[in-house]
């Protein structure tokens, strides 16, 4: 369990949190519990998978940025925001036991992300754009289609070459020299792919002439 209480400017980068019982560790609220009055916390290129309870719980007024992260198969919500401001970009939040992303009293924006296959639905009380969400929701450039993961049963949430989520995001400045969760270039086509993984192949038609 990782608890950030009063730690302004904390950065969690390139970390994997899997197969944990956060209740047994003394933190039933969430595997990662962030509670701070003011300040900011950032998570980049992290994996939260198959943990008992919620994956991430954020309280108080601290702002949180979640970028290029995969949150899958928690027994409760993938991400639970109780207060404050949260910005989620290029994340996949999938197959969690309750909501993928639930917001009770905060301000949450989601972009370039996939929220799919969660037991109680995709998102609540969030501003969403350029994303694939399992439940119909108002927003700019919202898909509501099967993202076509490589193999969700084995937790491979990379996108197939036939995925409708390829080349469907909105580009941001950091992506020009940025990397995806696999450490590969974040931009390989005209537009960024949804979720934390960037695919190598184009989703377009390939014609062989002999």
């Amino acid at each position: 369990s990782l608890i950030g209480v009063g730690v302004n400017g904390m950065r969690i980068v390139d970390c994997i949190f899997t197969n944990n019982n956060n209740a047994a560790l003394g933190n039933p609220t969430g595997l990662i519990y962030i509670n701070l009055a003011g300040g900011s916390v950032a998570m980049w290129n992290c994996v939260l998978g198959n943990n008992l309870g919620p994956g991430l719980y954020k309280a108080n007024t601290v702002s949180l940025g979640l970028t290029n992260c995969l949150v899958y198969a928690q027994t409760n919500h993938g991400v639970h925001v109780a207060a404050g401001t949260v910005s989620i970009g290029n994340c996949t939040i999938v197959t969690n036991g309750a909501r993928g992303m639930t917001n009770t009293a905060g301000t949450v924006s989601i972009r370039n992300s996939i929220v799919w296959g969660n037991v109680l639905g995709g998102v609540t009380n969030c501003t969403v754009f350029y994303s694939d969400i399992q439940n119909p929701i108002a927003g700019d450039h919202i898909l509501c289609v099967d993202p076509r993961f490589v193999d969700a049963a084995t937790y491979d949430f990379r996108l197939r070459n036939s995925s409708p989520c390829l080349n469907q995001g909105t580009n941001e400045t950091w992506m020009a020299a940025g990397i995806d969760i696999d450490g590969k270039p974040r931009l390989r086509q005209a537009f960024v792919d949804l979720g934390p993984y960037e695919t190598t192949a184009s989703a377009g038609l390939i014609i062989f002439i002999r």
Side-chain angles (χ1 to χ4, degrees):
S1 182
L2 191 153
I3 303 176
V5 179
V7 184
N8 182 21
M10 180 170 63
R11 286 178 58 85
I12 307 168
V13 181
D14 298 330
C15 293
I16 298 175
F17 304 89
T18 57
N19 302 299
N20 294 286
N21 182 345
N22 30 324
L25 294 170
N27 182 27
T29 304
L31 175 70
I32 296 179
Y33 174 60
I34 299 172
N35 183 351
L36 173 65
S40 63
V41 173
M43 291 185 66
W44 284 77
N45 303 338
C46 291
V47 176
L48 285 73
N50 204 31
N51 299 295
L52 185 64
L56 187 150
Y57 186 98
K58 198 199 79 64
N60 222 316
T61 58
V62 59
S63 64
L64 170 67
L66 201 64
T67 308
N68 275 355
C69 292
L70 171 65
V71 182
Y72 71 91
Q74 322 301 318
T75 61
N76 204 294
H77 303 301
V79 178
H80 186 166
V81 177
T85 301
V86 175
S87 177
I88 296 175
N90 285 99
C91 292
T92 289
I93 304 174
V94 63
T95 65
N96 296 287
R99 292 276 182 187
M101 164 70 241
T102 189
N103 171 33
T104 52
T107 301
V108 179
S109 66
I110 300 175
R111 67 197 182 283
N112 293 339
S113 295
I114 301 170
V115 187
W116 195 264
N118 302 284
V119 172
L120 296 182
V123 304
T124 57
N125 302 323
C126 302
T127 300
V128 183
F129 54 103
Y130 287 92
S131 294
D132 187 14
I133 307 296
Q134 73 187 77
N135 53 295
I137 187 172
D140 188 18
H141 291 84
I142 304 298
L143 303 177
C144 190
V145 294
D146 182 352
R148 299 180 195 165
F149 297 120
V150 170
D151 191 354
T154 61
Y155 304 140
D156 187 347
F157 297 108
R158 295 170 180 83
L159 300 175
R160 298 182 186 178
N161 291 340
S162 60
S163 171
C165 297
L166 301 181
N167 213 27
Q168 292 299 310
T170 179
N171 296 345
E172 299 177 332
T173 303
W174 68 268
M175 296 172 180
I179 58 174
D180 70 0
I181 198 171
D182 279 339
K184 297 175 181 177
R186 183 68 262 199
L187 281 178
R188 301 189 197 182
Q189 302 177 47
F191 297 98
V192 69
D193 294 342
L194 304 186
Y197 300 100
E198 198 73 16
T199 58
T200 56
S202 169
L205 178 67
I206 299 176
I207 300 175
F208 292 93
I209 300 176
R210 297 180 178 177

